[in-house]
Every structure is written in C-alpha cells, then in structure tokens.
Amino acid sequence: MAPVCVRRILISESVDPCCKKILQENGIEVTEKQNLTKDELVAEIKDYEGLVVRSATKITAEIINAADNLKIIGRAGTGVDNVDVDAATKKGIIVMNTPGGNTVSAAELTCAMIISLSRHVPQAVMSMKAGKWERKKFMGSELYGKVLGIIGLGRIGKEVATRMQSFGMKTIGYDPITPPEVSATWGVEQMSLEQLWPQCDYITVHTPLMPSTTGLLNDATFAECKKGVKVVNCARGGIIDEDALLRALESGQCGGAGLDVFVEEPPKNRALVDHFNVISCPHLGASTREAQARCGQEIALQIVDMLKGRELVGAVSPPPLSLKSSCELLSSAALVGLLKDGSRNGPNLINALTAAKEAGIMLSVNGIKYTATGSIQGDVPVLLDLNGSEFRQPVPLTGNLLFFKAAVTPQLLPTVTGVLATAGAEVQSFSTSATRGGDQWSCIGLSTALSDLAALKSLVKEVAAVSI
Ligand SMILES: NC(=O)C1=CN([C@@H]2O[C@H](COP(=O)(O)OP(=O)(O)OC[C@H]3O[C@@H](n4cnc5c(N)ncnc54)[C@H](O)[C@@H]3O)[C@@H](O)[C@H]2O)C=CC1
Ligand SMILES: O=C(O)C(=O)COP(=O)(O)O
C-alpha cells in the first residue's frame, strides 16, 4: 500500500494514553477533545487527517462530508456501526478497527450477566444496601445443566461458550458463517434459529448490528422461546428489539434480561432499565484496563503501519461494498478469498482490487460480466448478491463453490446433486438467492473442485465453478 500522509489526528473519546504516545512518537500531532457536539465536530474535523474514536462518537455522513482532509478513521474497538463506513469509503477514507482487543473483556461481562441473572445478584445487593434481608425473594436457579443459546459464533461468542461450559451449561448456537464443524470443536452445536429458540434457558447475542440482525429477538421469536427464558445483550442495542423485550418481561415470557447496550445510549426511555428483572450496565463490555490498553495500542500501531506504507491491518469492509465488475471480476469479496494466503494481514475489501492487479489475478466466469456485492463477516469474505439477486444468507467465499442460475423447479436440485454425486463431489453447503425474473442463483459448497461443467450446462442457464 502506498504511504498516506497524516500529520494531525483528533482523538474524540477516552482512549488509552498509549495510543497518543505511539502516534506522537511517530511524528503525528495529536489533539484530544472529548464530548464534542455534532456541530463542534463538523467544525473541528476539517483540521485533521485522522480521527480516533470509540463507540460514542457518531461519525455520520454529514461529519464525513465536512471532513475535507480526513484520510483515516480509527475505531479503538470492535463495532463500527457508529461510523458511516459507506460514506467514508465513497470519500476515500479508510476505516479501521481493532476487533480482537476487547474480545475477552466483552465475553467476561456477558458471563457475569448470565451468572447474575441466575442468582439475582444485583437485585440482592440493592436489597441489602436498603437494609433488607430477603432470602426467599431472591431464590435462584443453577446454571448447571441449563441450555445457553449463542447467536453469533465469532470471537466473543466462542469465548462465552467455553467459559459457560465450565459451569456445566449445554451450549448451542447459530451463525451463518462459522462452519458447524468449527464451532463443534469448541463445544457448540449449531442449528437453525427455529430449532434453537424453544431449547434455550438463556440466550446471548454476539453479532454485529446490521439489517439482518436488527430485532433478531422480537415478539414472534420470543413467542417461540421457553417461558421465562433469560436473555443477554452485550453486543449492540436493537439486536433484541427493546419494545418486544419489555412486553416479554411484562408477560413473564422473558424471565430476565442482562443489557450492556441500548438503541439510544444513554437510554432516555428508562422502562427497561427500571424493570425489576433487568440488570444493566452503561456499555461496559470493553471497559477494562486490559482491553483499552490493547485497543489503544493496536489502533495506533495500525495507523502508523498504514502511514509508513507497510501494511493495511484492520481495515473494515464497506457494508456492503458494491463493485460494478467492469472486467471479469466476480467481486472484490471473491478476490479477497482468492488472495488470502492465510496471513492475518492479507488483502481486505479496500485493497483487494489493487492487490489483485498487482498479483495479476483475475476471476473469469465464462467471459460474462457480473455485478456482485460482497462484504466480510467474522474475517471471512462473503457474497451478498449476484446480478441484483440477494442471497438469503451471506455466502462464505471459501473452498470449492459451484454457482448456477436457473428457473426455480422442484426437480432442479435433485438433478444437480445427482450430477455432482456422479462426479464424486460431496455437497457441503447450499445457499440460494431471492428469485429474480423467475430465476434464482444457487451456490453449492463442494468437497472437491469440479473440472467439467458440461453435464450441468444443459440443466441451468449459467454455471461457474470457483475454487477459493
Ligand atoms: N459491549 C461491548 O462493549 C462490546 C460489544 N461488541 C459487539 O459484539 C459484536 C460481536 O463481536 P465479535 O464477536 O468480536 O465479532 P465477530 O465478527 O468475531 O463475530 C460476529 C459473528 O456474528 C455472526 N453473524 C453475522 N450475522 C449473523 C446472523 N444474522 N445471525 C447469527 N450470527 C451472525 C458472524 O458470522 C460472526 O461469526 C460486535 O459487532 C460489537 O457490536 C464488541 C466488543 C465490546
Ligand atoms: O468494541 C465495541 O464494539 C464496543 O462496543 C466497545 O465500545 P467502547 O469502545 O467501549 O465505546
């Protein structure tokens, strides 16, 4: 990556002092200004080429458009939902985060919530401080033998699972990207959400906030849960619909909630916080000395590395990055998959096209031009749509993939899988897109690469095999 010139950086939140120190040691002028209003930030941002934030600074398109000199936004933490990454990308501003730095801290707070919910620890503490001695009121239940449902089996979900297994909890989960055989190695059995809801005594969510995860727990899904299910949200406000949660708490369908995050922070509507069966924290998941030191150091080092033209680490994919394929590129996401050499610092969606050009790699699909939308989820490049047909689940771009477009008929899939079986290729995964003009894209993950597509060509309208 070519060196980028950044002389002045604004840190707009409480970030570990090591961040400022590292940046200054590398010749960057650093200003710290906290609690800026939106208007103050709009006025201030013009003077800086870099900005370092945590979750409280909302970097809207308005702020980005006012940031005439901005080249980099560094998020000292994981979630980038407070940054309009799309607007930043359009303006050529790189957004980067430090996703692993606070994993353990967020996982530990989640476990503390689960344990507190099982024994009413916070409520009992309040009662003691009020001079009471209420042993009967705070009867709890053991975690031992109970079922914990984990939605989102990425970094934090995994750490929560392994910790709660030590309490004797059975851990089940759902994640569209993490392969079931991978989560099985750390003791999480994956299943569909429909199968998961009725089994859980506790549910904890660990996904990013995005359209597909907003309101994952809602009136309908609460209704599918066991009566009295306890839920934890240490990920992002809105993944559990707040109004639905309140209704479920009031009806007893939900027996308790542990909330670290809210749609609006701090929440003006206090109904959830004030509910007796809700325990809550002011977004403390990453608030440990250790996590802050890691995130502060990592973001500073990543910025310095980028400025020195060394490597681009932690750059966030635009969600979703839509690239019109003017030549024969399937998508930037596919290129990331192609170019990944196993190193953590490999290409990402921002530099993939350049890297592809440098490496001379092109993905040709029968010479046909495609428009594709890709993204990265949990470090895995995924395909979101192909020629305007949105996949029902993001398609992980790894392994041997067979893409085909065909009219939707009941015979199609059995016929295709029959051809694959004859070719000795085992079906490992299957995804379909929404139907468009009567046709649907399908993607089948295969155990081996297919070299001969002749038999399939007669069955479908378009077909391509890709090994990533
Ligand atoms: N409370 C706090 O202070 C903190 C909150 N967080 C939040 O936790 C979230 C998770 O963090 P990590 O585990 O590090 O991220 P990660 O990227 O490692 O894991 C997220 C997982 O969610 C999965 N996912 C995506 N869509 C899904 C869906 N529809 N259903 C189920 N799973 C889905 C992804 O495949 C991925 O495996 C972050 O996005 C952030 O918002 C992170 C750190 C601290
Ligand atoms: O890293 C994350 O996603 C977090 O939610 C932590 O937010 P914070 O840095 O504590 O404002």
Side-chain angles (χ1 to χ4, degrees):
M1 198 156 170
V4 179
C5 181
V6 169
R7 280 161 304 183
R8 301 192 63 197
I9 286 185
L10 172 68
I11 301 181
S12 67
E13 285 185 64
S14 165
V15 174
D16 191 276
C18 70
C19 177
K20 180 177 180 180
K21 188 164 170 278
I22 294 168
L23 293 172
Q24 286 176 331
E25 282 167 0
N26 284 276
I28 299 167
E29 194 185 318
V30 180
T31 306
E32 284 181 287
K33 283 193 184 175
Q34 290 177 27
N35 305 318
L36 292 171
T37 63
K38 186 195 76 185
D39 291 341
E40 287 167 340
L41 191 52
V42 165
E44 189 81 15
I45 198 70
K46 295 179 175 47
D47 299 334
Y48 298 91
E49 286 108 17
L51 174 64
V52 173
V53 299
R54 284 176 58 185
S55 64
T57 314
K58 307 297 171 212
I59 317 287
T60 58
E62 184 186 349
I63 290 166
I64 285 165
N65 290 335
D68 292 336
N69 297 309
L70 203 61
K71 297 195 173 73
I72 171 106
I73 298 170
R75 192 323 189 190
T78 307
V80 286
D81 44 286
N82 54 319
V83 180
D84 189 332
V85 181
D86 212 16
T89 305
K90 279 190 197 128
K91 221 168 173 228
I93 299 167
I94 291 172
V95 181
M96 55 168 64
N97 66 349
T98 61
N102 55 28
T103 300
V104 168
S105 292
E108 287 183 358
L109 183 71
T110 306
C111 297
M113 288 284 199
I114 296 169
I115 297 163
S116 299
L117 282 172
S118 74
R119 305 301 291 271
H120 314 295
V121 177
Q123 293 93 334
V125 170
M126 303 255 290
S127 158
M128 287 292 282
K129 286 190 191 295
K132 299 180 193 165
W133 184 257
E134 300 181 292
R135 298 186 67 207
K136 204 168 170 190
K137 184 172 179 184
F138 296 119
M139 174 69 80
S141 52
E142 290 182 347
L143 292 173
Y144 182 80
K146 300 295 188 304
V147 177
L148 172 63
I150 306 173
I151 320 265
L153 297 165
R155 285 172 292 258
I156 298 171
K158 175 186 174 187
E159 297 304 324
V160 169
T162 53
R163 280 159 181 74
M164 295 321 297
Q165 283 155 13
S166 69
F167 275 73
M169 293 194 93
K170 179 182 176 193
T171 48
I172 61 177
Y174 169 76
D175 191 303
I177 305 293
T178 302
E181 55 274 21
V182 170
S183 64
T185 63
W186 23 275
V188 178
E189 183 195 342
Q190 281 201 53
M191 57 192 66
S192 70
L193 287 173
E194 294 70 33
Q195 290 170 310
L196 179 140
W197 302 126
Q199 296 191 42
C200 299
D201 300 293
Y202 290 78
I203 295 171
T204 182
V205 293
H206 298 287
T207 69
L209 180 68
M210 26 185 208
S212 60
T213 61
T214 301
L216 257 175
L217 266 157
N218 53 42
D219 288 315
T221 49
F222 266 120
E224 289 181 48
C225 293
K226 263 190 199 173
K227 189 163 178 69
V229 64
K230 294 184 175 168
V231 298
V232 173
N233 186 356
C234 287
R236 274 298 175 276
I239 298 173
I240 301 179
D241 182 274
E242 293 184 344
D243 294 336
L245 173 60
L246 190 60
R247 284 189 284 274
L249 284 159
E250 277 165 3
S251 71
Q253 180 64 14
C254 175
L259 305 176
D260 184 43
V261 285
F262 297 85
V263 171
E264 183 187 24
E265 295 185 355
K268 282 201 196 77
N269 180 347
R270 310 298 291 179
L272 277 174
V273 173
D274 291 343
H275 194 284
F276 183 74
N277 287 335
V278 172
I279 58 175
S280 59
C281 293
H283 200 147
L284 294 182
S287 293
T288 62
R289 277 184 279 283
E290 295 84 352
Q292 286 312 309
R294 278 186 220 111
C295 291
Q297 184 185 42
E298 283 173 23
I299 199 68
L301 291 174
Q302 286 172 201
I303 292 174
V304 169
D305 276 351
M306 190 197 81
L307 301 189
K308 301 215 160 150
R310 285 191 198 126
E311 57 190 356
L312 186 56
V313 178
V316 179
S317 63
L321 175 66
S322 190
L323 291 168
K324 290 257 183 312
S325 152
S326 57
C327 49
E328 291 156 327
L329 302 175
L330 178 59
S331 74
S332 189
L335 282 171
V336 173
L338 276 171
L339 294 164
K340 266 197 166 187
D341 59 1
S343 82
R344 185 175 167 265
N345 305 331
N348 52 50
L349 285 178
I350 291 168
N351 65 8
L353 289 174
T354 321
K357 221 169 161 188
E358 282 166 10
I361 295 172
M362 300 276 276
L363 184 63
S364 170
V365 186
N366 303 339
I368 301 169
K369 292 177 186 177
Y370 290 91
T371 307
T373 305
S375 183
I376 288 205
Q377 289 188 2
D379 220 21
V380 178
V382 293
L383 183 68
L384 301 175
D385 92 33
L386 201 49
N387 281 0
S389 297
E390 195 180 338
F391 279 88
R392 295 177 209 283
Q393 295 288 353
V395 180
L397 291 167
T398 61
N400 303 304
L401 302 174
L402 176 75
F403 289 92
F404 57 89
K405 187 172 101 173
V408 189
T409 64
Q411 302 80 24
L412 177 69
L413 197 55
T415 317
V416 170
T417 49
V419 170
L420 296 174
T422 311
E426 198 183 303
V427 174
Q428 294 182 329
S429 62
F430 177 63
S431 321
T432 53
S433 75
T435 310
R436 215 176 139 89
D439 290 333
Q440 192 177 46
W441 276 100
S442 300
C443 175
I444 298 185
L446 296 170
S447 55
T448 50
L450 275 191
S451 50
D452 185 3
L453 300 178
L456 290 168
K457 275 183 184 155
S458 59
L459 300 173
V460 300
K461 294 187 178 164
E462 285 176 47
V463 60
V466 186
S467 289
I468 300 172

